[in-house]
Amino acid sequence: MALVVICGQPCSGKSMAAACLAEALKESGSNHAVRVIDETSFHLDRNQSYANMPAEKNLRGVLRSEVDRSVSRDSIIIVDSLNSIKGYRYELWCLARAAGIRYCVVYCDADETHCRKWNEERREKGEDAYNDKIFEDLVRRFETPDRRNRWDSPLFELWPHREGIVGSSAAILDVILYLTKKVDSKMRDVKTLQPTIATQNTRFSEANSLYELDRATQEVSNALVEAQSQALGGPLNGVLVGQGLPPINISRPVGLPELRSLRRTFIKLRGQTSLSGRPPPSDADSAKRMFVDYLNRELANP
């Protein structure tokens, strides 16, 4: 139904925003399941996860994979992490587009001074906090979201150091309204992303589909060759290849090389599954019927 990306500087109140948003969505009466995906749900230590680039890349991969598995039209997924790199936010936007769901970004806009202070307070309380080196590195590399970018729009901003973060915060209420509002043809302020060929997953046919296709077309070919041999070169008015199947109507002899070529072409065409087309048939009768129709079209003209 929707993907919500929480982003902001380290220790800017992102987890509090995600928790308030999730609770407010549940209280709003929404029938959609709400789930928060964050680092703690995978028992990942923040200092180890951001200690170096390979570790950080692995963290983003873990979160992205979980988002990819979780997004659907029946749930609201909230990604609670730094999400500081615009290229990574673009990847998450692509996942939302591929799923055909709504998407938005919630930015916890807190200045560095307050974030640094909150990090130190966590450390003094014995809570999970960033060490100074990693904190400064993350602050330096943070890429502020820009609502002009597709992957940062719509953008809802929170100011934790000014207003605090509660379920009744204006930005939280705006997000809930955006996620729960019904969409119609006249609605322009709520957008559901539409999947494209570039973002949709290719559909793979069942393992036995091509096997059934190959076997069925071979049986039809054998029946046509046998019928021609019995006709001794005479005209054929309807070759039956099975009960309930249409006849093959040919007005000229069809040699074995030509029949083999037609069969190969048909299998190739049906084996190339597309996003909008139907998968190869999984039963013999359907495959035979399709091949007979194909032969009738190709052999209709002398």
Side-chain angles (χ1 to χ4, degrees):
M1 191 272 181
L3 176 62
V4 181
V5 176
I6 310 286
C7 74
Q9 299 278 12
C11 294
S12 59
K14 297 182 298 299
S15 295
M16 178 65 72
C20 287
L21 178 58
E23 186 62 28
L25 282 169
K26 294 175 182 177
E27 293 177 354
S28 70
S30 173
N31 295 325
H32 298 89
V34 180
R35 182 189 174 194
V36 177
I37 296 177
D38 56 9
E39 298 151 17
T40 57
S41 60
F42 296 95
H43 307 288
L44 299 172
D45 181 81
R46 60 179 58 187
N47 285 313
Q48 293 180 1
S49 298
Y50 293 100
N52 49 58
M53 285 300 171
E56 185 176 340
K57 184 177 180 180
N58 178 70
L59 169 64
R60 291 197 299 268
V62 169
L63 294 176
R64 184 189 182 282
S65 297
E66 188 62 25
V67 171
D68 192 13
R69 287 191 293 267
S70 302
V71 288
S72 71
R73 299 187 181 185
D74 300 319
S75 61
I76 299 175
I77 304 299
I78 303 173
V79 187
D80 172 23
S81 185
L82 289 177
N83 299 316
S84 57
I85 301 175
K86 61 183 180 181
Y88 182 60
R89 294 197 294 271
Y90 173 73
E91 292 180 7
L92 296 176
W93 178 81
C94 287
L95 294 179
R97 184 173 65 170
I101 59 177
R102 301 182 196 184
Y103 173 91
C104 68
V105 175
V106 178
Y107 174 35
C108 294
D109 189 2
D111 59 57
E112 297 178 17
T113 302
H114 285 87
C115 293
R116 190 174 290 105
K117 177 183 176 182
W118 291 335
N119 187 55
E120 292 175 356
E121 290 177 352
R122 285 184 177 181
R123 187 182 303 147
E124 292 173 357
K125 295 177 182 179
E127 299 176 354
D128 197 12
Y130 297 96
N131 66 47
D132 293 336
K133 181 180 178 181
I134 291 178
F135 181 88
E136 297 299 333
D137 178 61
L138 293 175
V139 168
R140 178 181 57 83
R141 293 191 291 112
F142 181 77
E143 297 176 347
T144 305
D146 185 346
R147 65 179 73 251
R148 293 173 296 181
N149 297 327
R150 293 173 297 170
W151 53 89
D152 291 333
S153 177
L155 180 64
F156 301 93
E157 296 183 68
L158 283 167
W159 292 275
H161 61 292
R162 299 180 195 171
E163 308 168 351
I165 302 176
V166 293
S168 58
S169 298
I172 297 291
L173 296 178
D174 288 343
V175 174
I176 294 174
L177 180 62
Y178 177 79
L179 297 178
T180 58
K181 185 182 294 185
K182 293 184 178 180
V183 181
D184 55 38
S185 59
K186 299 180 181 179
M187 191 77 62
R188 293 189 176 183
D189 56 340
V190 177
K191 182 179 181 181
T192 299
L193 300 178
Q194 298 300 321
T196 65
I197 293 177
T199 58
Q200 281 187 310
N201 294 325
T202 303
R203 184 183 62 232
F204 294 94
S205 60
E206 297 180 0
N208 67 330
S209 295
L210 294 179
Y211 168 75
E212 291 290 347
L213 188 65
D214 180 81
R215 188 179 68 171
T217 53
Q218 184 62 58
E219 290 179 2
V220 172
S221 299
N222 291 341
L224 184 56
V225 171
E226 180 66 21
Q228 289 188 110
S229 65
Q230 293 180 0
L232 301 176
L236 290 175
N237 296 320
V239 178
L240 297 176
V241 294
Q243 185 177 2
L245 298 176
I248 302 175
N249 298 310
I250 57 175
S251 58
R252 60 177 176 84
V254 181
L256 189 57
E258 182 182 2
L259 190 57
R260 287 175 176 171
S261 177
L262 290 170
R263 179 171 171 266
R264 285 195 300 267
T265 303
F266 174 77
I267 292 176
K268 182 178 180 181
L269 291 174
R270 295 309 310 169
Q272 293 174 344
T273 58
S274 64
L275 294 172
S276 58
R278 295 178 298 177
S282 57
D283 63 281
D285 287 342
S286 297
K288 289 180 180 179
R289 183 176 294 103
M290 295 172 67
F291 187 42
V292 168
D293 291 340
Y294 174 77
L295 289 176
N296 284 331
R297 288 195 306 270
E298 294 297 317
L299 300 176
N301 298 321

